[in-house]
Amino acid sequence: MSRTLVLAALAMAMLAANSLLTRAGVLDGTDPLSFAAIRVGAGAAVLALLVRGRVPVAASRLGAAAALVVYLLGFSLAYRTLDAGLGALILFGTVQVALLGMGLGLGERFTALRWAGMAVAGLGLGWLLWPDEAAGAPVDVALMVAAGLGWAAYTYAGRDEPSPLGATAANFVLGAGLMALTLPLWWGAPVTPLGAGWAVLSGAVTSGLGYALLYRVLPRMGVAAAGVMQLSAPVIAVVGGAALLGEDVTGRMLGAGALVLAGIALAVQGTIRSKGS
């Protein structure tokens, strides 16, 4: 289990780094859609090389690829006004609520503790998303929520993935193809050298390799446990955003984030007890 935890921790650090890299790239003047396109293209190229061109592309993977693109588009656009730490809190708070909701829809048995946890997490997320001039444009908050729903679907798609690296490569190749359909929206938009570099780093390393690591640990940990691990990503992003990008850490972010974390911890503890009973 120790090796799994090390790999999971590395994957979480990479997930958090994506928030910092995307926010930095957009702040530098790179168009968000162009950033997303470069990111998915770089990820597809590097992953295809790692699997030596043997990319298991299949129609059955279109759902995961579409979820990936929804996440990428919403994620990049939202960072026009959201700070890296706040964006990560919204993203992963949405992810956890969505994953718990998926469990409910699939007929998983919910304990009283799990219901209480979902209520607390929902309260914290609602507080975090409540309109506030300092929180970013409402449309960008909504886009980050959409990104969270896309990421939840992508995470769920990898719960039983037998070939993490090959699956991630296929998802990125298909995702790059889907992103090409949005070409008229971003072709010719401004791209700075530094922003392009951050996008390549995000796509090739912290996304491509990070997602492959996540898909590798999911079957060993389960979706719920992996969800708890993902809660470390916004913490890393908040600290990184403050240290590297000079972002403010507000009392509202800390309070709402604490409620979300506590609620998810309660919900997952309820899941563990339910499975053990």
Side-chain angles (χ1 to χ4, degrees), residues 35 38 52-53 67 79 97 111 144 177 186 201 243 248 250-251 259 264:
F35 189 99
I38 296 171
R52 299 179 181 179
Y79 275 125
V97 172
T111 63
M144 189 59 83
W186 52 266
L201 179 61
D248 293 331
T250 67
L259 279 177
I264 298 301

Side-chain angles (χ1 to χ4, degrees), residues 218-245:
L218 269 173
R220 304 179 188 180
M221 300 183 67
V223 173
V228 175
M229 289 296 297
Q230 289 190 45
L231 293 175
S232 63
V235 177
I236 298 170
V238 167
V239 173
L244 302 176
L245 301 177

Side-chain angles (χ1 to χ4, degrees), residues 120-230:
V120 171
L123 180 64
L125 190 58
W127 183 20
L128 187 64
L129 299 180
W130 192 262
D132 186 334
E133 291 182 1
V139 66
D140 290 337
V141 172
L143 283 167
M144 189 59 83
V145 171
L149 295 175
W151 182 249
Y154 186 80
T155 299
Y156 189 79
R159 67 194 185 283
D160 297 316
E161 183 54 60
S163 176
L165 188 59
T168 308
N171 292 339
F172 266 75
V173 169
L174 286 170
L178 292 175
M179 186 68 75
L181 298 177
T182 68
L183 182 67
L185 299 178
W186 52 266
W187 184 255
V191 176
T192 66
L194 184 59
W198 292 144
V200 170
L201 179 61
S202 177
V205 180
T206 58
S207 294
L209 299 183
Y211 298 175
L213 281 176
L214 180 64
Y215 266 25
R216 181 171 180 178
V217 300
L218 269 173
R220 304 179 188 180
M221 300 183 67
V223 173
V228 175
M229 289 296 297
Q230 289 190 45

